[in-house]
Amino acid sequence: NAGVTQTPKFQVLKTGQSMTLQCAQDMNHEYMSWYRQDPGMGLRLIHYSVGAGITDQGEVPNGYNVSRSTTEDFPLRLLSAAPSQTSVYFCASSYSSLAFTDTQYFGPGTRLTVL
Amino acid sequence: KQEVTQIPAALSVPEGENLVLNCSFTDSAIYNLQWFRQDPGKGLTSLLLIQSSQREQTSGRLNASLDKSSGRSTLYIAASQPGDSATYLCAVGVYNTDKLIFGTGTRLQVFP
């Protein structure tokens, strides 16, 4: 198993550009989520999904969209990038559809800079 | 609103010391608590998961305890090694939601 994979590893955008961060897992996990990690603020939940076709907002959803058309993939879209979205983005997954009952597996992260 | 705090933010100890990392949370209505390790520039790796009905979990040199009533968890690392150097984060599963709330982490350095 490759586990949780994320692409790209690094990305630089200009303000106003849009892009999609990719996340995929090959463990047949139901629950998938996106976090951003900023210095001094820990990880904050952006969006999550409890199964294909089902998504919901986390703590900081503004400026981001998600969809879950398959069990394996959970892309995160930045609609119009802003410097405040400069961060490291992590995707995570777990077998159970309930985040709190199961071990979370994290991807290696995408480091995004918005100029 | 659930808040998770980790103190200290950074810790530096000599090799061989036993050490304790602290995690506190404001709302005792949690399903579980997880401890993670993060190496520089990498993702998080789950270390221990304690369900709300449990008091502790052990894995090798690591022991995590949970006291829901006081809103505290500790991660005990025995006989620390330089390879233990990393940032350690705790996260709580929030009751009645599908969410984990993370603390800001403790950056640990173990020097030879």
Side-chain angles (χ1 to χ4, degrees), chain B residues 7-26:
Chain B
I7 295 173
L11 185 62
S12 183
V13 300
E15 182 177 6
E17 269 204 11
N18 301 324
L19 56 100
V20 174
L21 306 182
N22 297 297
C23 172
S24 61
F25 45 95
T26 55

Side-chain angles (χ1 to χ4, degrees), chain A residues 31 37 90 99-100 102 104, chain B residues 32 34 38 44 97-98 100:
Chain A
Y31 184 92
Q37 186 175 35
F90 289 101
F100 43 79
D102 221 351
Q104 296 289 308
Chain B
N32 65 18
Q34 299 188 41
Q38 184 177 26
L44 281 68
T97 75
D98 295 318
L100 293 176

Side-chain angles (χ1 to χ4, degrees), chain A residues 13-21 36 46-47 57 60-67 75-86 89 112 114:
Chain A
L13 292 178
K14 293 181 180 176
T15 297
Q17 288 185 315
S18 62
M19 79 158 294
T20 299
L21 307 185
R36 58 178 290 173
I46 305 172
H47 285 286
Q57 297 181 349
V60 288
N62 292 341
Y64 308 94
N65 269 359
V66 292
S67 60
L76 177 72
R77 296 182 188 84
L78 279 69
L79 309 173
S80 178
S84 60
Q85 293 179 305
T86 294
Y89 291 84
L112 175 68
V114 182

